[in-house]
Amino acid sequence: MVEGHIQNKLVIPLGLQSTSSRVFPWGAVGDQRTETENYHFLQRSPWVGEKVKTVLVLQIAPQRAPAGPRGSSLPCSSSVPVPARRAKGGARGRARRVSGTRRLLGDAHGLVSALMRRLAARGAAGDAGEVAPPAADSTDCAPGRSPSPCRLIDLCAIWDAGVFLPAAVAAAWKGAPSGVPRRRLNEAETLSSVQKAQLQRLEAARPRGPGSGDRGPVPRMARQQPPPWVHAAILFSLLSLSTAIEIPMDPSIQNELSQPPTITKQSVKDHIVDPRDNILIECEAKGNPAPSFHWTRNSRFFNIAKDPRVSMRRRSGTLVIDFRSGGRPEEYEGEYQCFARNKFGTALSNRIRLQVSKSPLWPKENLDPVVVQEGAPLTLQCNPPPGLPSPVIFWMSSSMEPITQDKRVSQGHNGDLYFSNVMLQDMQTDYSCNARFHFTHTIQQKNPFNLKVLTNHPYNDSSLRNHPDMYSARGVAERTPSFMYPQGTASSQMVLRGMDLLLECIASGVPTPDIAWYKKGGDLPSDKAKLENFNKALRITNVSEEDSGEYFCLASNKMGSIRHTISVRVKAAPYWLDEPKNLILAPGEDGRLVCRANGNPKPTVQWMVNGEPLQSAPPNPNREVAGDTIIFRDTQISSRAVYQCNTSNEHGYLLANAFVSVLDVPPRMLSPRNQLIRVILYNRTRLDCPFFGSPIPTLRWFKNGQGSNLDGGNYHVYENGSLEIKMIRKEDQGIYTCVATNILGKAENQVRLEVKDPTRIYRMPEDQVAQRGTTVQLECRVKHDPSLKLTVSWLKDDEPLYIGNRMKKEEDSLTIFGVAERDQGSYTCVASTELDQDLAKAYLTVLADQATPTNRLAALPKGRPDRPRDLELTDLAERSVRLTWIPGDDNNSPITDYVVQFEEDQFQPGVWHDHSKFPGSVNSAVLQLSPYVNYQFRVIAINEVGSSHPSLPSERYRTSGAPPESNPSDVKGEGTRKNNMEITWTPMNATSAFGPNLRYIVKWRRRETRETWNNVTVWGSRYVVGQTPVYVPYEIRVQAENDFGKGPEPDTVIGYSGEDYPRAAPTDVKIRVLNSTAISLQWNRVYSDTVQGQLREYRAYYWRESSLLKNLWVSQKRQQAGFPGDRLRGVVSRLFPYSNYKLEMVVVNGRGDGPRSETKEFTTPEGVPSAPRRFRVRQPNLETINLEWDHPEHPNGILIGYTLKYVAFNGTKVGKQIVENFSPNQTKFTVQRADPVSRYRFSLSARTQVGSGEAVTEESPAPPNEGRCIATTYTNNQADIATQGWFIGLMCAIALLVLILLIVCFIKRSRGGKYPVREKKDVPLGPEDPKEEDGSFDYSDEDNKPLQGSQTSLDGTIKQQESDDSLVDYGEGGEGQFNEDGSFIGQYTVKKDKEETEGNESSEATSPVNAIYSLA
């Protein structure tokens, strides 16, 4: 393709009115104005295979009209062509398609259509002879048509100039071979019947003769520059090919219109299924009529009816393959494609490759132990079984413990486990490769590898792990890095566009190498690149073509470095540039389908129609294929079909369906008819009129059935037909009619618009202060439109108010009776109708009850004062005025102050500012004013309760103007970029402007150059000076000016242009280690010209590279230390001891950091360790105390042991301190207590060679106080006296005395009762019984002592002695019982023989303690 460039000038006569301001930006053409606009279009010409870039220069020039009054309208055609009739078979006529670009192109579309027809007629005449202008009665240029504004271009005058092909087109035509290209130029062969009839009528009706304006034949000039109308016609015609009709989502329309099928859902191209489930291959489509479905398998028809396992879902093409009755899913693997068909065409799904997921078992193998020398590299290969999809690999031990991975040991992307160098501790576990399969959710484990490490140091001494040079300590020879993967020094890798690129470098060496990544000739893409697997892998997401190139990884240790270069090539499967879209046209319209895709290699494009190759489809004279574009001309109903575009290369394919549907539908209205729209006055509203038709109808709006089309001014018509009224007025009320018209008819709908008055609260509730128990009334008076229903509701604290029995809601107020504290809060009155609402808020403050007042004022509730009123301005002077007001009621609290505020309407209209403050005793004051301010004042009264509402504003008073008396403040000059300087200042307010058109004269010049001042006038508050040198001082002045003159001479401010990044780094950086946590830095200063800005500081970036203690993880987060000013030395502190650090220095200015200095390395010496962690003190018994602790979090060196200091204490008494030293591996100790009462205080610290670190202190728990008495135990852990022996003995004695008293009380209560023994026993009493006179037994004892012959033991029991009158002799071997009053109710028995009692020294009688329990 050859891209040409044609430039033409279009001169528009003055006085021609544009019908749409959207066509050209200037709208109507003025009388004394010349303007030029360039419009660039790049389109593919339908006549030749060139891309013609047309620069259309549109110029407004004075009109050269020979007749008529200036500005009079020329005869123009109507903006809507009259429908024509077809010449053949009485078919309906048709107009040229008016697509969605009608609104954008305006009435120029009629011009383009006419030019296209005339150009086609020109080709029909054999490209020679004259071109007839349109006839007077033609549809395009007929005088006497309905009055409408003239078009943008006088079409009638155009034809007289002649129509010629562009020179580039003509040259291409002359050099083109015969055949297809010539047929494309000679469009008369494909003219529709309507076009032919119109051309014949135009030629026949052309006026002839002297008075007709006929200038005779116009000979074609060989080298004449073609007029621009041809280019406009070509461009607008091509634009019209790119649009189509859109079907509305209205279900009634969707169900009525015929549509070819469209695929709506389908399975993915690579469809992997679980063999345990039924197979589901999705395919769903829509269309009208509903489509039918069939499938192909491996490009052959798939007969579903012959296979009982296969079925298709109802009203869908989805295949279901059922294996519940048996069968192997593998038998159904293959490539499937779905076809959805109805009578208008066939749509195709993607080719779906069906595969069954596989998870094969690991082959059986016996793995011998892997023997390797310590320090040598090692690769343990996984080689997982090939699964579908590929399994996820991870390494674990045979006991299912994960393998710890780090910089030395890590898993590669291929699943192998790599050891950069093998250490003795690596044989402490075995290594098993595991594969996890996604679909089957199974994990398969390979037989484990066992390592046998040969070493010169057979003992795995844990202390060597923290040795600064672990490898030398273990006798492992150091060696330079070498790559384990990939092999060699260079490799290549291909990746597809949009995928992730994963580059991997795994190196061996002693010590373990570090990996760094670089890109040759550029930086790594920071937004897409990230390092993984301990920097061994570089991942770049969403790869694009610019990511191709050479990448290299650098593996380095202290023995040396090597690099591996990876050449990355980015290929691409096809991806869409222009995916074909469904094309819906009206009969006779033109359109095109575009299928553009890109890829690497370049994809090929294949067109199909209804699933068949386009080459084998029946010929269609209305269709033309031009590579990736199909052009349709003069489409008819028979042109409906579904087209497929298949674009493919070796990496994949894209398949898209796009149907061509030809609709012939008269206009239809989609909204309900005769809608009523009610809107509030002065609001914005939108009248909707959704419509549909094919060809696309033209929509117009009319008001009250008369007048011209509504568009412009207060009206705006949108693309979808909606009419917007920007601000509703009373006169906008009425009936609006929208009319949609196309060649098949018209449809209309009406919308009635009613304008309502707004709802407004004109008497708002006011803030009130009420005494508790009083009555409060909140007013809310509303004005609204009487035709709307008004609802007034109240909110309290922005929540709906519940109207209880203490409240009364009336039409214009809310009354609260008996105000309580809970009633305090904000009250909002909401007045609403169905169209709008208004609200007003007030705050109610409730005061608590007060004491009895001593005077009348104290008895009354206090409140905020009422607003002042009746403001009056007197003594009007040039710079002052007197303001007088009448104070409002002070509401029982004297007014202390008045605040006068003002508002001006020029700079901040509606914003009130404090002007002055006056005592509460005055009501008149003289106010000092500024020049040229239109003042308005109000007054606020203040008392101890609060502020009043502002008074109503006073009348306005404007002072006369004057030159400014000051200049703007806070003038600064700072660079926002390296080559500019932004001058800013604080703008002056209304009271300091002193006149209209306040502006600022900004002056600047370079300092100390004696050059002249540059100046500019600015209306804002900033100005940017461009093209300045880097960081150069400037003298700046900003002076205020208004229409009355300039302000005083401004002060000179020094500003600086923008800074650039520093160009140099500090040199000769020297490091001196001060101690284990601090270093001293010294450097040489950089030259001042390399700073390129203001030197803010020298900054050191440092990071902890590693600890000298091996296997101790450290954070490598970068830290920084700044040294402000031009300093040459500094101290970096708060470092970690016994660590390797790296440090870089930079220069910092206002722009940022400069380049980094050479990286310096230093090592901090050992320091004292941090405190041991988790120090725990446990006391399992009263004899021992167990101590346990963990190693310090920061050893800060090699631990040599722990120091434990402890001391016993009891209250204020402290024993001798004991010191114990432990080995570094000991973390437990047991202390033998000297006594069970004392407590111990322990202090534990760790030691290095430098000394002891921070100690951690704990105390042993307080032992519980255990009493010796069974009955009562007293414990007091808060007082030291509780641990004393004498106190414990005293408590036991007190408890014993209490117990004895209880026993005595019981005995005294129980004695004296007489029991009729004879009634209970038939056996007579013996002669030794003491009393027998009245047949009763006296149980009491006359002296208040315990029972005779008994003694009380310490545990509260009574030991039975050998007594003849013991109660036990009368018992029956059980415990006696007492009734509620303590009397004995047991039955007596015959006294037992003395021999029986002698054998038992202790009685079984009821003890006093048991007696007490029975009483309870």
Side-chain angles (χ1 to χ4, degrees), residues 1186-1225:
N1186 294 336
L1187 308 179
E1188 293 182 12
W1189 63 89
D1190 293 344
H1191 296 299
E1193 182 179 6
H1194 300 292
N1196 297 335
I1198 299 177
L1199 292 180
I1200 62 173
Y1202 295 92
T1203 299
L1204 175 67
K1205 301 178 182 179
Y1206 62 96
V1207 62
F1209 66 93
N1210 190 344
T1212 57
K1213 296 176 59 179
V1214 180
K1216 181 180 179 182
Q1217 178 175 284
I1218 302 174
V1219 179
E1220 298 280 355
N1221 292 317
F1222 308 120
S1223 67
N1225 294 327

Side-chain angles (χ1 to χ4, degrees), residues 931-946:
Y932 200 73
V933 178
N934 193 17
Y935 283 100
Q936 189 178 31
F937 300 98
R938 69 181 186 183
V939 182
I940 298 175
I942 302 175
N943 64 8
E944 65 177 7
V945 178

Side-chain angles (χ1 to χ4, degrees), residues 190-213:
T190 58
L191 287 177
S192 67
S193 58
V194 175
Q195 288 175 324
K196 293 177 181 178
Q198 288 177 340
L199 291 176
Q200 292 170 2
R201 187 165 59 253
L202 287 172
E203 188 65 27
R206 181 182 179 188
R208 304 286 181 177
S212 63

